[in-house]
């Protein structure tokens, strides 16, 4: 196998086009691997780790780098093929042929004048300007794009606030409005709970756990993780919270996120204690008071617990009993793990959901001490190289460093799949922990992609493999079917992210360290 | 925002087409924009925007 790269200057292609082109190249018999990505620092580091020579390539996010690993073919032919694939016009489906697809915002509004929301998922460097145009035209904005500068976020949110609009994001992957999932979202019942989340997969996990308890959600408003920091001041979080307090159909609020800054948290709790509706907060890792039952404010330590409390509140059941029921250990699952724990060694978590990765670190650090990560709870434990896990470690492959000019790992599992092969083959690894996030917008069959990695790994004794499937049976992928695929390949599949992390911690704590 | 919660989403999707397809799957009202980056550089666009703002004021 020989590895080659070529840089194409000043060409923009969206992440889907790049992924499809890479897949088409990989289908060539002479090509072992192919990758097309924008020439960012992070993407160059990824190529370097895969033994590509990048010494002559200067980082420039406006350039495209094509990397190929091939034999018995002139690499120039493969590069030319790549360009040909990128340049060929996209084949439209019959449905697309008959529908009008405008090329500009104004074109869209000329035929869709009553639009009230813009969902923006273009490269971060352009997203701010497009969001500003949308706000100027009176649209609320959901900004899926990441890599948007902080000052742009503040400017956009202030602008929205002055117009009684909201900016959800940047880096907001999930919202639910009147029961409709926007971005990455699960198919769940509609009901009396409203969620405000500065955490995308946190919102999904609470949504899914509530569905398991047969409680629905009407609105789930995302804000992006930075919103609750001091610099942004919770502009979107506080206005979303107020909108749900004022909303006649919402009976109970659940607030989700990493711990907000002191001032933002104070403002949130002040609103919660003074409003007429029960409020459940799940700010993972925040210092908790006792539940303030007089004011109907409840504090949850995990996302699963937040859902259990909210369900109990809505059903008029005992909150303390709901919390207690979660503490029970599932002995059947633990016994199953005992039979599959073949190797002692470190725990490696390979996540696609940022909040799920964060929650897992919290649970695991209580059990195992230091957990290293590319997005650690404590900056002292940040990995030097996100591509080289050390010790007990959780990697979030949805972090900005991995998503510049590359699809999110919930949509394209190729990158995480290769990392999983490496970890399965690493003899120092005793436990693998993964999330599999389902729903609208996500990959149509993530479990099969994960199982491909298990089959590809060259190992005799597999480490203990624990998974959590964040989804419902009504999701397009069907959670039950995805669970079956994973279990058949040897995974132990848990009912929640918290349970999966907790169980993984039980076995990794026995690792030689 | 209150109007958005009351009416439900009527979405202009700018970017990944998969998100538009997901909205249509849920029978939600949406339109997809085939977005391309501006041909002129963004700093020039910013200057034009400032000029436009100045004129409006």
């Amino acid at each position: 196998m020989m590895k080659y790269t070529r840089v194409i200057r000043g060409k923009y292609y969206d992440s889907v086009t790049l992924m499809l082109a890479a897949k088409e190249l990989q289908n060539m018999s002479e090509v072992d691997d192919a990758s097309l990505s924008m020439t960012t620092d992070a993407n160059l580091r990824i190529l370097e780790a895969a033994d590509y020579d990048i010494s002559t390539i200067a980082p420039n996010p406006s350039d495209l780098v094509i990397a190929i690993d091939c034999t018995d073919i002139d690499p120039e032919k493969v590069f030319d093929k790549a360009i040909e694939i990128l340049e060929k016009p996209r084949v439209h489906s019959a449905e697309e042929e008959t529908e009008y697809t405008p090329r500009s915002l104004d074109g869209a509004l000329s035929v869709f004048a009553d639009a009230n929301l813009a969902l923006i998922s273009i490269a971060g460097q352009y997203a701010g300007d497009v969001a500003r145009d949308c706000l100027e035209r009176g649209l609320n904005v959901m900004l899926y794009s990441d890599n948007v500068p902080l000052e742009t976020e503040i400017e956009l949110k202030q602008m929205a606030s002055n117009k009684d609009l909201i900016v959800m994001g940047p880096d907001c992957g999930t919202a639910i409005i009147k029961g409709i999932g926007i971005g990455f979202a699960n198919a769940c019942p509609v009901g009396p709970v409203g969620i405000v989340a500065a955490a995308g997969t946190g919102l999904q996990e609470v949504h899914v756990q509530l569905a398991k308890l047969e409680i629905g959600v009407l609105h789930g408003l995302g804000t992006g993780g930075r919103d609750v920091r001091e610099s942004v001041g919770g502009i979107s979080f506080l206005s979303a919270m107020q909108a749900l307090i004022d909303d006649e159909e919402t009976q109970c609020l659940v607030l989700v996120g990493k711990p907000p800054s002191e001032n933002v948290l104070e403002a949130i709790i002040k609103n919660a204690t003074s409003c007429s509706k029960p409020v459940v907060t799940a700010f993972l890792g925040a210092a908790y008071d006792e539940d303030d039952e007089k004011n109907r404010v409840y504090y949850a330590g995990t996302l699963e617990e937040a859902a259990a409390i909210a369900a109990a509140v809505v059903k008029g059941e005992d909150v303390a009993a709901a919390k207690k029921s979660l503490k029970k250990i599932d002995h059947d699952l633990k016994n199953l793990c005992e039979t599959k724990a073949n190797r002692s060694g470190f725990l490696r978590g390979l996540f696609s959901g940022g909040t799920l990765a964060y929650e897992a670190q919290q649970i695991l650090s209580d059990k195992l001490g230091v957990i290293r990560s590319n997005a650690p709870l404590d900056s002292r434990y940040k990995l030097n190289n996100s591509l080289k896990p050390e010790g007990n470690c959780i990697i979030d492959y949805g972090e900005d460093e991995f998503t510049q000019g590359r699809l999110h790992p919930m949509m394209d599992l190729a990158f995480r799949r290769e990392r999983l092969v490496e970890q399965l083959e690493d003899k120092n690894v005793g436990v693998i922990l993964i999330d599999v996030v389902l729903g609208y917008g996500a990959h149509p069959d993530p479990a099969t992609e994960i199982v491909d990695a298990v089959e590809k790994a060259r190992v005799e004794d597999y480490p203990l493999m624990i998974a959590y499937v964040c989804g419902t049976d009504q999701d397009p992928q069907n959670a039950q079917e995805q669970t079956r695929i994973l279990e058949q390949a040897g995974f132990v599949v848990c009912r929640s992210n918290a349970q999966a992390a907790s169980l993984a911690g039980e076995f990794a704590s026995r690792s030689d360290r | 925002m209150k109007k958005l919660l009351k009416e439900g989403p009527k979405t202009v999707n700018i970017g990944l087409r998969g998100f538009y397809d997901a909205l249509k799957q849920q029978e939600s009202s949406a339109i997809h924009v085939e977005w391309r980056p501006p041909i002129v550089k963004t700093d020039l666009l910013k200057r034009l925007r400032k000029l436009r703002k100045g004129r409006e004021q």
Side-chain angles (χ1 to χ4, degrees), chain A residues 185-361:
Chain A
N186 301 91
C188 297
V190 178
V193 174
I195 306 172
V196 183
T201 43
L203 199 164
Q204 284 190 268
E205 173 69 333
V206 173
H207 197 203
V208 164
Q209 292 300 328
L210 280 167
K212 288 181 183 177
L213 298 165
E214 297 178 339
I215 295 293
V217 171
L218 182 62
H219 304 300
L221 304 173
T223 67
R226 276 194 316 215
D227 189 80
V228 293
R229 289 192 196 163
E230 197 61 34
S231 47
V232 187
I235 300 174
S236 292
F237 201 98
L238 291 166
S239 73
M241 199 178 160
Q242 194 56 51
L244 295 189
I245 291 170
D246 295 340
D247 182 65
E248 285 170 10
E249 293 176 80
T250 301
Q251 293 172 22
C252 171
L253 273 68
V254 180
L255 312 177
V256 185
K258 294 174 189 171
S261 77
E262 205 176 311
N263 289 331
V264 175
L265 183 62
E266 199 182 307
I268 291 170
I269 298 299
K270 193 176 162 199
N271 282 2
T273 49
S274 61
C275 83
S276 60
K277 296 179 181 179
V279 179
V280 182
T281 72
F283 293 120
L284 304 171
Y288 286 114
D289 296 329
E290 287 294 305
D291 288 341
D292 180 358
E293 293 197 29
K294 186 168 68 85
N295 288 312
R296 296 200 294 167
V297 178
Y298 303 91
Y299 299 93
T302 64
L303 301 163
E304 185 185 25
E305 192 176 61
I309 296 171
V313 167
V314 168
K315 291 175 181 170
E317 294 173 355
D318 183 31
V319 168
K323 279 185 172 183
K324 204 174 164 190
S325 70
L326 296 177
K327 304 252 184 286
K328 285 183 196 153
I329 294 169
D330 187 328
H331 290 287
D332 288 346
L333 273 190
K334 201 173 171 189
N335 291 340
L336 184 60
C337 287
E338 294 279 1
T339 65
K340 290 172 181 280
N342 299 317
R343 328 194 303 210
S344 67
F346 293 121
L347 175 140
R348 298 285 158 79
L350 292 86
F351 280 74
S352 57
T355 318
L356 301 181
Y358 191 88
E359 182 182 53
Q361 285 184 67

Side-chain angles (χ1 to χ4, degrees), chain A residues 34-50:
Chain A
S35 144
L36 289 85
S37 54
M38 303 318 287
T39 317
T40 61
D41 261 332
N43 287 338
L44 288 177
R45 277 210 314 276
I46 290 167
L47 291 179
E48 191 176 28

Side-chain angles (χ1 to χ4, degrees), chain A residues 457-475:
Chain A
R458 287 159 297 187
V459 269
E460 283 172 20
D461 287 332
Y462 281 89
L464 171 62
M465 301 184 295
I466 297 177
Y468 168 54
V469 176
C470 181
T472 69
D473 295 349
Q474 285 66 48
D475 278 328

Side-chain angles (χ1 to χ4, degrees), chain A residues 52-74:
Chain A
Y52 285 95
D53 177 12
I54 55 149
S55 56
T56 57
I57 305 176
N60 183 347
S62 304
D63 295 343
L64 168 72
V65 57
I66 306 172
I68 51 166
D69 185 352
C70 60
T71 37
D72 301 332
I73 188 169
D74 177 358

